[in-house]
Amino acid sequence: MCSPQESGMNAVGARMVTRSRSRGPGAGLRRGGEEGAPLRSVEAAAEGRKSHSSVKRQRKTQRLNVAYEASEGETGEGAEHLQAPGWEPRDWQQQLENIRTMRSGKDAPVDQLGAEHCYDLSAPPKVRRYQVLLSLMLSSQTKDQVTAGAMQRLRARGLTVDSILQTDDSTLGTLIYPVGFWRNKVKYIKQTSAILQQRYGGDIPASVAELVALPGVGPKMAHLAMAVAWGTVSGIAAVDTHVHRIANRLKWTKKATKSPEATRTALEEWLPRELWSEINGLLVGFGQQTCLPVHPRCQACLNRALCPAARGL
């Protein structure tokens, strides 16, 4: 039994022979009595079909080799999922290198008086960690110089969980004044110290979730406490008004942010993790010395040609 293709070829040949015979005897004969024309026609038809089949196979192969982006929920062998490159700010690496150069002197207030420099290096580890947390609580809405002065007065009386709980509210207020919102901070310091004594044996928690659950401790303080007290980078620490302002001026956020916490989240979406522990100190000092809140010193800034704010964009 012949295949469908062979049947088709015979049918084509039969039709061609019939037409040739209708034109009269010998119409399809070559010299020597060979019936060449019908055979050539059959061969040509077969060749055409082969050529057409070959083109179809090539087209099919080409289609299979084309990469495509799978729809949501679509899976399949050979599917190539195309991913858009992650967003990052323009010129950020050069801007960061310029800020490093400008901050190479380490002579900004944050470098000597920041909350992470206010604890007693000779104290036992548990006491040092407590002092770190306390200095961070005092530093909110307060200049570094004021925080450092308050910590110095507290340490002169022996700054531990027990000593704070034994100090009356009036005396504690006098010791920490004039830090911002000092009355609220007296209350928060007492409440937090009592919790640390009861639940953590006078130490501080080792997780962000537990730290932010303490009275008067926010995410900014918690991340910095994790970095300084526990040596763990849990996020970009202490995104304060300086970091918030500079990140928006340099367009280091995909869209403008309205709070330091929103800025921290936006920076963590693209900034390489190995830079998280460095970025706060760099930008705070840069904000204290050069990128001031009012009348920034753009003429002295190495980023003046790269900064959108300096270009008025």
Side-chain angles (χ1 to χ4, degrees):
M1 184 175 179
C2 64
S3 66
Q5 186 175 6
E6 291 170 341
S7 300
M9 289 176 63
N10 291 338
V12 172
R15 285 195 298 273
M16 289 182 177
V17 170
T18 301
R19 284 196 296 271
S20 299
R21 287 174 180 170
S22 68
R23 290 196 298 269
L29 296 176
R30 294 181 63 189
R31 286 179 195 161
E34 295 175 358
E35 279 192 327
L39 289 175
R40 282 200 303 273
S41 300
V42 172
E43 290 168 359
E47 197 65 29
R49 281 192 296 274
K50 288 180 182 177
S51 176
H52 180 67
S53 176
S54 175
V55 170
K56 286 179 70 178
R57 282 197 300 270
Q58 289 176 3
R59 288 176 180 169
K60 185 177 181 181
T61 302
Q62 289 171 358
R63 284 196 295 272
L64 290 175
N65 287 337
V66 174
Y68 68 97
E69 184 173 3
S71 303
E72 185 178 351
E74 181 183 358
T75 58
E77 244 179 58
E80 296 182 19
H81 298 273
L82 306 178
Q83 296 180 348
W87 180 88
E88 63 179 32
R90 181 180 178 182
D91 299 323
W92 74 270
Q93 291 173 312
Q94 185 59 55
Q95 291 167 342
L96 179 61
E97 194 56 40
N98 288 340
I99 293 173
R100 285 192 181 116
T101 300
M102 290 183 281
R103 293 279 289 112
S104 60
K106 299 290 183 184
D107 52 359
V110 69
D111 297 313
Q112 287 83 33
L113 303 173
E116 62 271 31
H117 300 293
C118 294
Y119 60 90
D120 182 2
L121 290 172
S122 63
K126 185 165 65 174
V127 174
R128 290 203 303 266
R129 289 191 286 268
Y130 173 68
Q131 292 182 0
V132 168
L133 181 61
L134 212 65
S135 68
L136 292 171
M137 294 176 70
L138 293 173
S139 70
S140 176
Q141 302 295 313
T142 304
K143 291 183 178 181
D144 290 333
Q145 297 91 323
V146 177
T147 299
M151 284 294 295
Q152 197 171 30
R153 292 189 292 274
L154 289 171
R155 283 171 51 191
R157 293 170 60 94
L159 181 53
T160 64
V161 170
D162 290 337
S163 70
I164 288 295
L165 291 176
Q166 292 168 10
T167 303
D168 63 80
D169 290 4
S170 177
T171 302
L172 182 57
T174 301
L175 291 170
I176 68 171
Y177 181 85
V179 299
F181 304 100
W182 63 272
R183 290 186 179 85
N184 287 335
K185 289 178 182 178
V186 167
K187 179 177 64 176
Y188 294 147
I189 288 170
K190 281 293 192 71
Q191 291 173 345
T192 290
S193 298
I195 292 171
L196 297 180
Q197 186 186 61
Q198 295 165 9
R199 299 182 188 175
Y200 300 98
D203 207 341
I204 71 171
S207 74
V208 171
E210 290 175 292
L211 284 166
V212 296
L214 298 171
V217 179
K220 178 180 76 172
M221 301 176 206
H223 286 297
L224 192 51
M226 289 296 296
V228 177
W230 292 111
T232 301
V233 178
S234 57
I236 297 177
V239 175
D240 65 356
T241 55
H242 293 293
V243 180
H244 172 60
R245 177 178 71 254
I246 294 166
N248 277 274
R249 282 179 177 175
L250 292 175
K251 303 294 185 186
W252 279 12
T253 59
K254 198 169 185 179
K255 59 181 181 179
T257 53
K258 296 183 178 180
S259 69
E261 182 59 18
T263 300
R264 182 185 66 80
T265 302
L267 288 174
E268 288 178 358
E269 288 178 356
W270 67 267
L271 188 69
R273 193 178 183 89
E274 59 267 23
L275 298 177
W276 287 9
S277 60
E278 175 192 20
I279 200 68
N280 175 72
L282 276 177
L283 295 189
V284 170
F286 180 56
Q288 290 175 337
Q289 293 180 310
T290 306
C291 198
L292 306 175
V294 182
H295 305 304
R297 297 166 182 167
C298 295
Q299 292 304 314
C301 181
L302 298 179
N303 283 326
R304 61 185 176 276
L306 299 175
C307 177
R311 296 198 304 264
L313 299 178

